[in-house]
Amino acid sequence: MSFNTSSRQLSKTDEAPEDVPSQEVTPLDAPAPRDTVQTSEAETPEVSAAEAKAPETEAPEAKAPEAEAPEAKAPEAEAAEAKAPEAPETETPEATTDPEPKAPEAKDPEPETPEAEASQTETSQTGASETETPETESPEAEAPDADAPEGEVEAPEQAAAAPDPAVSDADTPTAPRPRRWRRVWGGWREKYPVAARVLAWTTTAVALAVVVVALLMPTQADKVRLAAFVRLPVEAIFGAALLIVLPRKPRIAVAAFAGLGLGALTVVNFLDIGFNEYLGRGFNVVLDWSLFSDAQGYLQDTFGKGGALGIAALAVTLVIAVLALTTLSVIRLGNLAARHTETATRTTLVLAIAWVTCAALGVQYAAGIPIASEHTMQALQFKAEQVQRTLQDEAEFAKIAKKDNFANTPPDQLLTGLRGKDMMITFIESYGRSAIEDPVMAPGVDATLTAENKKLTDAGFAAKSGWLTSATYGGSSWLGHSTFMSGLWISNQQRYRTVTAGERLTLPGAFKKTGAWDTVGVMPGVQKAWPEQNFYGIDKLYDSHKLGYKGPKFSWSTMPDQYALTAFERLVHSKKHDKPLMSTIILTSSHQPWAPIPELVPQDQVGDGSIYNAIEKAGKKPADIITDSTKSKQEYGKSIQYSVSSLINYLVKYGNKNTVLIFLGDHQPIARVSGNHASRDVPVSIVAKDPKVLDKIAAWNWADGLQPKQDTPVWKMNAFRDRFLTAYGSTPAP
């Protein structure tokens, strides 16, 4: 015989035999009958707590008597039910009645009245709320104790307090215990409701501010102003609409993904601001990762190893914090919108209508700041296009680099107008147009150029000067060097790797190819292996380790320019040579951060550089000027004056009638010094005693002296190589 049972079973209940009259007919005025099978712990008459905890192995034995002699127990069960009072109802709204499993021992279903079914439901719910079933109990514990004596009927209170052995984990909907932090937070919130509400609203406001700022952040420091953030970002409107309609789990997943993406975009925006500030361009997500090692080296040289590690650790911490903050903010706002769906839907709709209206009418706070913003979408589109352009540029530039107008020119047809001359090509670090024209720096620099030009004139030299537009700005000096000497526009690291891996004819390489010059390089800024030496055509290289310097570093610069030029004279120029020299010299004292700055010392006191110890200690520290734009400009101007004076003093003292000097800047200084949106122009000068040298470039219309004029022609830096080779007798032969 089979019958249905509720999720809780009575521990001592027998089936009614087939010949016992059915209990399904009940007088209307009589109390609702108890189901002889389904009762709560309070209705269990004959099961003690010890018996309820009977081991699992006894369960099968308890079932056998029940099936064999149900007739003997049914009257006793009825008597027990009549004596047991009804347990109070403790039904909760959340409780639900599980489907009633069928007992395998039963043979025939026993009809039940509606009242009995209701009683079963209440009993099941009451037991579920009052008793927690240990996870170690097994279904065998459901078997009633057939041998329990009739007299052992527990009181209702005892029955209610005893654990119900007839309930298994599978049958009992047990509510999970709240986590500790939730209980603590819930208690604090109930104890301080006002503070909890204030904290909740503050957290929501911060989350909203984080998302809005991340969506509207400009990529240039000069555009960071309040009006830029008081706009309607269309991305936020679409995102809110999506999060409102998503179910809980997909909503959280989408919000987390969107928050991480927004955090990554924020980090890239910060990089854009930094790169625009220092290099005059945004961050290239394909090529610029390699620059971080150079930045770390610069920080170490400027602030020491400990300072560099501290800055790097702070940067990593900020990146993690930004990613976590944006992610948590988006998730919180998404959950808030889901809890208040109606309000969130109305608000999103109103904002969408406002955005469309402002976009259609072109409403703006100020020129270039529309209220209806698409900033993030435009930024993503720009980055995607930048990646595409970068990948395309690599293939296109490789083809351009193979075309060289002088690649096949015979050696005897190269540089015929300079045979017998000692050539010097000298780069002055960060020597840009701003040094000559900026009102803060120009007075001192212009006075120095005027004074040094007079020295040259008195020594029999003459000079002509012009402007070149550098391929880089604020840093990456090697891009400027390679652009000037290769005749190719080397504006990024990929182009630099491509050209230096090839056999492009450079200016030093052209002199070397003739066989009429020895080529040397003096590069105090090179502190490790430099494979580009072969590409440039330099026979012998004097780097920072080969110049014999024993003095202190001046921030990034390994040695003062005066010492580097003195070492060049001692180690190279003063020696006897079978051929004239073609020298490439890179001066570094004007490299940022422009503190401390060396001072000129008597030439006979330069020695091994030890004299500079006292000068370095007495100089300014980088921290004194690095955050102050005006101080940085002043110190930058002084560094340019020092470098130019060191070079001209060397030329006047050691130059002769065959000396030809070309000197120029490699790029403008950073935006904090050169100014926002400054040009990329740098001055370039050619100095010689032989008037024929300058006569050959008369058609260039360069200005006389060391200072180019405002209306002096401006060329792109990569145009210099071909014009120079042509002016001095080289025959083009692609």
Side-chain angles (χ1 to χ4, degrees):
M1 180 175 66
S2 62
F3 56 93
N4 294 332
T5 60
S6 68
S7 59
R8 290 197 173 273
Q9 292 185 344
L10 185 62
S11 54
K12 178 177 176 62
T13 302
D14 296 332
E15 297 177 347
E18 296 182 3
D19 56 346
V20 176
S22 174
Q23 301 294 326
E24 62 182 68
V25 179
T26 304
L28 296 177
D29 57 349
R34 290 300 194 185
D35 185 0
T36 58
V37 178
Q38 302 166 354
T39 60
S40 66
E41 294 87 356
E43 296 171 336
T44 304
E46 297 177 352
V47 180
S48 65
E51 292 169 340
K53 298 179 180 179
E56 298 177 359
T57 55
E58 298 178 2
E61 299 176 1
K63 289 182 180 179
E66 176 184 353
E68 293 174 358
E71 297 85 357
K73 300 297 180 181
E76 297 169 1
E78 293 177 4
E81 290 174 7
K83 295 178 182 180
E86 292 185 11
E89 295 183 2
T90 57
E91 182 177 0
T92 58
E94 294 80 7
T96 59
T97 303
D98 294 334
E100 298 178 350
K102 296 182 179 180
E105 305 89 335
K107 298 179 180 179
D108 295 323
E110 180 178 351
E112 296 179 351
T113 62
E115 291 85 352
E117 294 177 357
S119 175
Q120 292 172 10
T121 303
E122 294 174 1
T123 301
S124 175
Q125 294 172 348
T126 301
S129 62
E130 292 178 350
T131 306
E132 291 183 9
T133 303
E135 296 179 358
T136 56
E137 289 187 19
S138 61
E140 287 81 0
E142 295 177 5
D145 187 359
D147 298 328
E150 298 180 9
E152 296 182 3
V153 179
E154 295 181 348
E157 295 81 0
Q158 295 173 340
D164 186 358
V167 181
S168 67
D169 290 341
D171 297 329
T172 305
T174 303
R177 185 176 182 84
R179 293 184 179 179
R180 181 179 180 83
W181 71 268
R182 290 184 177 177
R183 297 199 305 272
V184 173
W185 166 247
W188 183 88
R189 185 169 53 185
E190 293 176 0
K191 188 175 181 180
Y192 304 101
V194 176
R197 285 196 299 271
V198 172
L199 179 60
W201 280 105
T202 302
T203 305
T204 300
V206 170
L208 181 62
V210 167
V211 172
V212 171
V213 169
L215 289 172
L216 298 175
M217 179 182 290
T219 57
Q220 297 181 7
D222 61 314
K223 293 183 179 180
V224 178
R225 43 187 168 170
L226 182 60
F229 299 101
V230 189
R231 297 190 289 165
L232 293 176
V234 68
E235 303 85 6
I237 297 173
F238 275 108
L242 178 60
L243 294 178
I244 289 172
V245 301
L246 287 176
R248 181 179 181 277
K249 288 186 178 180
R251 182 183 71 248
I252 294 177
V254 170
F257 180 78
L260 284 173
L262 190 59
L265 181 62
T266 303
V267 172
V268 173
N269 284 342
F270 276 120
L271 290 174
D272 280 335
I273 292 175
F275 271 66
N276 280 312
E277 181 73 10
Y278 282 86
L279 301 179
R281 61 176 178 81
F283 176 72
N284 189 308
V285 296
V286 178
L287 303 177
D288 288 339
W289 300 104
S290 62
L291 299 181
F292 287 110
S293 60
D294 296 305
Q296 180 70 9
Y298 164 72
L299 291 174
Q300 184 169 331
D301 292 331
T302 303
F303 300 105
K305 187 174 182 179
L309 290 176
I311 293 174
L314 178 61
V316 172
T317 302
L318 288 176
V319 169
I320 296 174
V322 167
L323 293 174
L325 190 59
T326 54
T327 301
L328 294 175
S329 296
V330 176
I331 292 175
R332 179 175 182 82
L333 295 177
N335 290 339
L336 183 66
R339 289 197 300 269
H340 306 280
T341 304
E342 184 176 350
T343 302
T345 302
R346 287 200 302 266
T347 303
T348 303
L349 182 60
V350 170
L351 292 178
I353 294 173
W355 189 93
V356 172
T357 303
C358 292
L361 299 178
V363 182
Q364 297 183 349
Y365 283 117
I369 306 181
I371 294 179
S373 168
E374 300 175 271
H375 176 75
T376 300
M377 293 178 62
Q378 292 173 349
L380 290 174
Q381 181 180 0
F382 176 80
K383 291 300 182 183
E385 292 175 351
Q386 183 186 59
V387 171
Q388 185 178 8
R389 288 194 305 269
T390 300
L391 297 178
Q392 292 176 348
D393 178 75
E394 181 179 354
E396 294 174 358
F397 180 75
K399 297 177 182 178
I400 295 173
K402 293 179 180 179
K403 299 179 181 179
D404 189 344
N405 292 333
F406 294 91
N408 297 317
T409 300
D412 59 352
Q413 296 180 23
L414 282 171
L415 299 165
T416 56
L418 292 173
R419 298 300 172 99
K421 304 296 184 183
D422 274 335
M423 295 296 305
M424 294 175 61
I425 296 179
T426 303
F427 291 93
I428 295 179
E429 173 65 37
S430 301
Y431 180 29
R433 186 165 187 159
S434 297
I436 296 175
E437 297 182 348
D438 185 270
V440 176
M441 303 171 288
V445 174
D446 290 349
T448 297
L449 292 174
T450 300
E452 298 305 324
N453 189 68
K454 187 177 185 302
K455 287 183 184 178
L456 288 175
T457 303
D458 294 344
F461 288 91
K464 284 187 175 293
S465 301
W467 301 110
L468 298 176
T469 301
S470 178
T472 186
Y473 174 98
S476 300
S477 300
W478 56 92
L479 302 182
H481 304 160
S482 57
T483 296
F484 179 79
M485 292 194 286
S486 70
L488 293 171
W489 189 252
I490 314 298
S491 56
N492 58 56
Q493 193 65 19
Q494 181 58 49
R495 286 191 168 204
Y496 180 78
R497 288 193 291 262
T498 299
V499 71
T500 54
E503 298 179 353
R504 178 81 178 185
L505 185 68
T506 64
L507 285 176
F511 283 94
K512 179 181 180 178
K513 185 176 180 179
T514 65
W517 281 272
D518 289 331
T519 58
V520 297
V522 178
M523 301 183 180
V526 175
Q527 304 179 53
K528 53 186 178 181
W530 195 58
E532 290 89 336
Q533 176 182 348
N534 293 330
F535 164 73
Y536 283 114
I538 294 175
D539 292 324
K540 191 166 185 180
L541 176 68
Y542 294 86
D543 60 16
S544 61
H545 305 292
K546 297 180 180 179
L547 293 172
Y549 182 63
K550 303 298 182 182
K553 292 181 67 175
F554 285 77
S555 292
W556 184 87
S557 180
T558 58
M559 63 192 69
D561 292 345
Q562 184 184 15
Y563 178 88
L565 292 166
T566 301
F568 166 66
E569 178 63 25
R570 182 182 73 251
L571 297 173
V572 182
H573 188 257
S574 63
K575 306 294 183 181
K576 291 185 178 181
H577 299 278
D578 297 333
K579 303 175 185 178
L581 289 175
M582 164 63 232
S583 306
T584 302
I585 303 172
I586 299 178
L587 303 178
T588 61
S589 290
S590 52
H591 194 287
Q592 60 178 312
W594 311 297
I597 301 173
E599 296 176 3
L600 291 170
V601 299
Q603 193 65 39
D604 59 354
Q605 296 182 20
V606 173
D608 63 359
S610 299
I611 191 174
Y612 294 107
N613 284 312
I615 296 174
E616 190 272 339
K617 291 180 180 178
K620 291 182 173 63
K621 304 302 179 185
D624 297 336
I625 69 166
I626 198 168
T627 58
D628 190 307
S629 177
T630 301
K631 289 182 179 179
S632 294
K633 287 184 176 184
Q634 293 170 346
E635 298 306 308
Y636 162 75
K638 292 177 183 179
S639 71
I640 294 297
Q641 296 174 48
Y642 170 80
S643 294
V644 171
S645 296
S646 297
L647 179 59
I648 299 305
N649 287 348
Y650 171 84
L651 184 63
V652 169
K653 184 174 181 63
Y654 299 109
N656 54 51
K657 63 180 181 178
N658 290 322
T659 302
V660 177
L661 169 66
I662 304 171
F663 78 95
L664 69 156
D666 45 21
H667 55 73
Q668 283 264 53
I670 61 177
R672 180 159 42 84
V673 172
S674 62
N676 294 320
H677 312 296
S679 73
R680 297 191 174 201
D681 297 345
V682 298
V684 56
S685 301
I686 297 181
V687 184
K689 274 191 174 182
D690 186 349
K692 294 180 181 179
V693 173
L694 299 183
D695 289 344
K696 293 182 181 295
I697 62 170
W700 291 3
N701 295 321
W702 282 13
D704 293 331
L706 295 178
Q707 188 173 346
K709 309 301 181 183
Q710 285 190 346
D711 59 350
T712 301
V714 180
W715 304 344
K716 292 186 70 174
M717 188 178 280
N718 61 311
F720 182 85
R721 190 206 71 157
D722 286 8
R723 291 189 180 223
F724 180 83
L725 292 176
T726 301
Y728 290 102
S730 301
T731 303

